[in-house]
Amino acid sequence: MAPPPKYSLQEQENMILDAAAQCIEQTSLIDFTMSSVAKTAGMSMGSIYKHVQCKEDIIFALAIRVYHHQSSVFEQVIALPLTTPERLIGISLLNPLKIQVYSFDIHLDAFVTNELVVKRTSKLWRDRMIDAHKNCEQLFYRCMREAVDSGELLAEGEIEEFIEEINLGGWALTVGYQSVMRVVQIREIAQGDAQLYEPTACDASIVRIFTRLFNSYQWQKPLDSAGIKHTAQLLTEHNLR
């Protein structure tokens, strides 16, 4: 009778991804190899291929880890005793380090939206990525739906489309702002003076833009500077800022 495996399948997967992250930190998302991941994990190539078929699978798997972590942080923010607009602005007030898993997080985003990378990734990991996105989308959908159902937000027209409009607008601003900051970071790295970014200031331009967007809708209690400061304070108390 064969002895039971030393590690469960989930433990093996975690070992592989931990090893992959370590290899990427030492080289890059482009230069790491499957053989180096196997060596670092202390596993055979055969064992590695039971979980991931190629480098693209590993990139997707690491990105999924990041999305799950970010979703858990967003869930903490949404659970805070705040108005819905304050919860939404709270996402942009988070300390960036609180939603970071790896130093190369921002580069993962660029890779997993690259058409060639997506095509080379196995169906298993593409499906897992879709599920990770859906879970995050559902988190914000439930938040907005509760606001509508409670009367906190007066919906106009078709409720589903209305909620999607607000969520899409907020998400587009967030992603756009991250892209701008990414360009700034790349420039600073090239100049040799890169630094960790502080949480977004309560009076920053992106916060003012978010406020204009959110307040263009009919909230029972619109977002104001006092609410923004209160949100920042609560995030700090919960070690999220």
Side-chain angles (χ1 to χ4, degrees):
M1 183 176 178
K6 187 175 181 180
Y7 300 104
S8 68
L9 289 175
Q10 186 58 57
E11 288 173 332
Q12 291 178 32
E13 182 179 297
N14 289 337
M15 290 167 60
I16 292 168
L17 297 185
D18 289 344
Q22 184 177 336
C23 292
I24 292 169
E25 293 281 7
Q26 295 171 348
T27 55
S28 72
L29 276 167
I30 295 175
D31 297 323
F32 84 98
T33 63
M34 295 290 282
S35 58
S36 66
V37 171
K39 182 178 179 180
T40 302
M43 299 169 65
S44 68
M45 289 302 297
S47 296
I48 297 292
Y49 285 126
K50 289 179 182 178
H51 298 271
V52 289
Q53 302 300 310
C54 55
K55 290 173 61 174
E56 288 79 8
D57 279 2
I58 288 178
I59 290 172
F60 259 63
L62 292 175
I64 290 168
R65 269 189 171 185
V66 172
Y67 293 152
H68 283 319
H69 172 71
Q70 291 177 346
S71 292
S72 69
V73 175
F74 297 158
E75 196 164 3
Q76 291 180 60
V77 176
I78 289 175
L80 293 175
L82 298 166
T83 66
T84 300
E86 288 168 352
R87 290 169 180 157
L88 296 176
I89 200 69
I91 301 299
S92 65
L93 294 174
L94 286 166
N95 184 330
L97 293 180
K98 299 301 179 180
I99 58 175
Q100 178 177 305
V101 178
Y102 307 111
S103 64
F104 51 86
D105 280 3
I106 59 173
H107 305 298
L108 283 172
D109 272 338
F111 273 79
V112 298
T113 54
N114 180 281
E115 183 177 354
L116 293 177
V117 174
V118 174
K119 286 183 176 179
R120 287 179 59 87
T121 303
S122 66
K123 183 179 184 301
L124 169 67
W125 289 104
R126 287 201 303 269
D127 288 345
R128 288 190 182 185
M129 176 67 77
I130 291 171
D131 288 340
H133 277 295
K134 284 182 178 178
N135 289 337
C136 189
E137 290 172 357
Q138 283 299 310
L139 176 65
F140 286 97
Y141 172 81
R142 289 193 299 271
C143 177
M144 296 300 301
R145 183 76 206 204
E146 289 173 5
V148 171
D149 291 344
S150 68
E152 183 186 12
L153 172 63
L154 180 61
E156 300 173 353
E158 170 58 42
I159 293 179
E160 301 295 322
E161 293 179 358
F162 183 71
I163 291 175
E164 181 182 8
E165 176 184 306
I166 299 177
N167 283 340
L168 179 60
W171 197 249
L173 275 178
T174 300
V175 174
Y177 180 66
Q178 289 174 346
S179 296
V180 171
M181 295 307 295
R182 190 176 304 162
V183 172
V184 173
Q185 188 178 46
I186 291 172
R187 183 170 64 242
E188 290 182 348
I189 290 173
Q191 295 171 346
D193 56 358
Q195 58 185 342
L196 293 176
Y197 291 108
E198 295 293 324
T200 304
C202 291
D203 60 350
S205 58
I206 187 63
V207 175
R208 296 197 302 272
I209 294 170
F210 267 115
T211 302
R212 287 178 184 274
L213 171 65
F214 296 148
N215 286 348
S216 66
Y217 297 95
Q218 297 185 55
W219 296 96
Q220 193 176 78
K221 185 179 184 300
L223 191 61
D224 57 24
S225 59
I228 294 171
K229 290 178 181 178
H230 173 61
T231 302
Q233 180 181 354
L234 206 55
L235 290 173
T236 300
E237 292 173 1
H238 284 77
N239 196 32
L240 293 171
R241 179 174 167 81

